[in-house]
Amino acid sequence: MLGVNEEQALAVDLGGTHIRVAVVTASGQLSHRRDIATDAPDGPDAVIDRMARLIGEGAAEAGLGDDVPVGVASPGPLDTRTGVVLFTPNLPGWRDVPLVDKLATATRRRVALANDGNCGALGEVRFGAAKGVDDLVYIALGTGIGGGIVTGGHLIDGLRGMAGEVGHVVVAMDGPRCTCGAIGCLESFASGWAIRREAELVSRTADGEGILRAAAGGPLHAGVVAAAARAGDAAALQILGRAGRALGAAMGAFANIFNPKSIVIGGGVAHLGELLLEPARAAMASYSFVDVRRDLTISYSALGDDTGLYGAGALALAQFPRP
Ligand SMILES: [Zn+2]
C-alpha cells in the first residue's frame, strides 16, 4: 500500500533496444511500468519524444503532479554537469545530445541524468543488495562492464560525472585491447564480449569441442561457455577461470582503494555465478590487503532487470529531495 504522501519519482531506463519507464517510491515500490522499443536508428529527437510520451502516460496513470521529478539511467559516457550524453555506441547518432534540457522541456519536469552503472550503484544502496550500506562498489558484468562507487553514502561522480568506470581498470599491462582503446582493462577479460572472443578462439582448435557441443550449432556466448564449464569442459573452465581471476584482481584494487563494505555484482554475465566468483574470490586474496577484506561482503544484485529503473528512481529522489 502506498503512503499517500510518500515521495515518488518517474524512472527512465534508456537502453539500446528498450525504453522502460516506471514510478518508483521512496520505499522502493515500482509501479505503472511501461516498455517500448527504443528504435534508436530514428535518432535522438525521436527517442526523446518517445521517452517524454511514456513519462506523460505513466505520470497521468499514477496521478502525479508536475513537481514529481524524472531520473534517467542512460548509456554513457555522459556529462552530468551539463546533462549532455557525449556519445553511446548502442544509440546511433547520439553525439553531444543535451538530454536533460530536451527532456525537461518536453515533460516540464526536473530531470536528473546519470550513466546506467552509476544509477545501478545508487539503486543497490537504496533498494537492493546493499540497502543501507554507505560504502559500495557495484560492478555490472554485461556485454561490456559498467558500475559505480558509493563512498560515505555519496556517489563518486568526478569532475564531469564520468567516474566509476570500474570495467576499465587495467588488470594486465600487456593484456588485450579493450573497446575503450586502452589495453588490459577488466572488460577485455571478463565482459560478455571478451568471454565470447575467447570461446571463438578456442572453438577453432581441438580443445573447442566441448564448447561447440554446448552451442549446438548456435552462436557462442558467455552462457554457452558456462554450460560447457558446468559439464566439466576444461577449455570452458579455463576461459571462465581467467575471467574470474581478472575480476578478482579488479575487486582487490577497489577494496584497497575504497575499503568498501559491499561489492555487488550485477548484469547478465553475473548469472554465471560461482563459475566466475569462485576464482575471483581466490584471486582477490592475492591482490588486496587482508584487512580490507575482513568485513567485506561480496553479493549478487537483488534488483535484476529492474536495476536501471530502481537506480534512475534513486537518482531523482537523491538529486531532487522534497523540501
Ligand atoms: Zn577499457
Side-chain angles (χ1 to χ4, degrees), residues 167-168 178-182 185 187:
H168 301 278
C178 183
T179 50
C180 71
C185 297
E187 180 172 308

Side-chain angles (χ1 to χ4, degrees), residues 13 22 83 94 161 181 188 192 211-212 216 237 280:
D13 181 9
W94 284 59
S188 71
I211 288 175
L212 287 172
L237 285 165

Side-chain angles (χ1 to χ4, degrees), residues 213-260:
R213 201 179 312 122
L220 297 177
H221 53 76
V224 166
V225 179
R230 289 191 182 105
D233 180 66
L237 285 165
Q238 193 177 356
I239 291 171
L240 297 183
R242 186 164 175 255
R245 286 195 302 281
L247 179 60
M251 293 196 311
F254 300 142
N256 279 357
I257 297 168
F258 300 109
N259 188 18

